[in-house]
Amino acid sequence: MSIKFKKLNNSIIKCKKCPRLIRFSKKISKEKRKQNINEVYWGKPVTGFGDQNAKLIIIGLAPAAHGGTRTGRAFTGDKSGSFLFKSLYNVKISNQNFSENINDDLKLDSTYITNILKCVPPGDKPLNNELIKCSNYFMFELENLKHLKVIVTLGKVAFDNCLINYKKKFKINKKFEFKHGKKYRLPDNKILIACYHPSPRNVNTKIVTSVMINQLFRRAKKIAKF
Ligand code: SF4
């Protein structure tokens, strides 16, 4: 890991800028979920992970209460992560079709995974000022993945907040519609692709299927050229 990313990740892990979210992470980690009652939860902000020469970045909104907040890695140890990694393995982005814990030997090819917000918000609803406070970390990741060509956002909230940061940085006022598979060229020439979130609700109602997600990531790989 580069020194830049080491420093960034250390700052994220120690960050306490949003007291409401830090309190919530601690509460979840103390109360725990029944099936994880004997585990020690991570209970701190969750950094991004993956290949620092990534051409593709996959972005969610925030770590899951009993997924990332428990295991310490985004999209790890929950149902959304499970569905996502079946697809990433299928399209040869990851070396395995599961993401269970930080010691599971998971590797990503040319891909980085992170969240807009590094702490879990109550009810999955972050406050505006929390998103603003955390945006520096997210923008640092985007700016320091020097080979980045394609951004895939999982879910509308991640899509909207990624664009809020871009609009601020590049002072643009264009409208972007969130629709699965829709792609946009951003002012820094990166390609943004909207993807429905692989949440159990979307999967169970077939709003998103493995065929749809596989196709989208195959396309993302092709555009990013890896
Ligand atoms: S959400 Fe971001 S800014 Fe807020 S405490 Fe967590 S890491 Fe820090």
Side-chain angles (χ1 to χ4, degrees):
M1 192 191 289
S2 73
I3 294 176
K4 266 187 182 177
F5 269 85
K6 256 189 198 160
K7 276 191 178 168
L8 169 76
N9 289 347
N10 282 338
S11 311
I12 292 174
I13 291 166
K14 286 186 201 142
C15 184
K16 293 191 169 45
K17 283 194 269 181
C18 310
R20 184 183 84 112
L21 302 187
I22 297 296
R23 270 199 310 275
F24 187 59
S25 279
K26 297 232 176 306
K27 183 174 178 279
I28 286 170
S29 306
K30 204 174 151 200
E31 290 171 357
K32 303 181 189 182
R33 185 171 60 171
K34 213 174 173 186
Q35 63 258 50
N36 306 110
I37 204 76
N38 295 321
E39 287 182 39
V40 177
Y41 275 47
W42 171 252
K44 292 185 276 268
V46 178
T47 68
F49 74 101
D51 185 352
Q52 279 162 39
N53 295 313
K55 294 179 179 167
L56 166 68
I57 188 166
I58 301 170
I59 299 169
L61 172 64
H66 303 280
T69 308
R70 173 172 63 89
T71 59
R73 193 173 68 191
F75 288 98
T76 298
D78 64 349
K79 286 191 175 153
S80 301
S82 228
F83 189 86
L84 176 67
F85 276 93
K86 280 194 183 92
S87 174
L88 296 183
Y89 177 69
N90 225 300
V91 300
K92 299 190 172 58
I93 288 179
S94 66
N95 66 331
Q96 58 192 35
N97 64 359
F98 59 91
S99 172
E100 283 172 358
N101 60 64
I102 49 166
N103 299 315
D104 63 8
D105 291 328
L106 177 69
K107 287 193 181 53
L108 300 174
D109 179 22
S110 296
T111 301
Y112 197 81
I113 297 183
T114 196
N115 285 304
I116 299 267
L117 195 74
K118 310 303 186 205
C119 295
V120 57
D124 287 329
K125 289 193 171 46
L127 303 176
N128 224 5
N129 70 67
E130 292 162 349
L131 287 161
I132 292 169
K133 281 186 215 168
C134 211
S135 63
N136 284 351
Y137 298 138
F138 168 64
M139 288 311 275
F140 182 100
E141 288 171 316
L142 280 190
E143 284 157 14
N144 285 280
L145 293 169
K146 298 292 183 197
H147 304 281
L148 203 59
K149 290 195 169 76
V150 177
I151 301 171
V152 171
T153 50
L154 302 177
K156 187 176 185 309
V157 192
F159 176 82
D160 288 345
N161 279 286
C162 177
L163 284 165
I164 285 171
N165 287 307
Y166 257 90
K167 285 179 181 175
K168 239 188 236 166
K169 184 174 174 190
F170 292 97
K171 305 199 176 3
I172 46 168
N173 202 13
K174 194 180 149 185
K175 278 204 168 163
F176 295 83
E177 184 198 7
F178 176 73
K179 199 173 166 199
H180 184 82
K182 193 141 185 180
K183 101 180 151 56
Y184 297 95
R185 186 172 291 278
L186 296 170
D188 59 358
N189 265 333
K190 291 184 182 70
I191 301 294
L192 170 67
I193 307 177
C195 179
Y196 290 157
H197 197 285
S199 64
R201 195 173 55 179
N202 282 349
V203 171
N204 293 340
T205 53
K206 303 225 178 326
I207 284 175
V208 69
T209 64
S210 46
V211 173
M212 283 163 72
I213 295 253
N214 291 353
Q215 272 172 356
L216 189 143
F217 281 117
R218 258 187 222 111
R219 190 150 69 101
K221 262 186 95 171
K222 208 168 165 191
I223 297 168
K225 295 195 173 74
F226 71 95

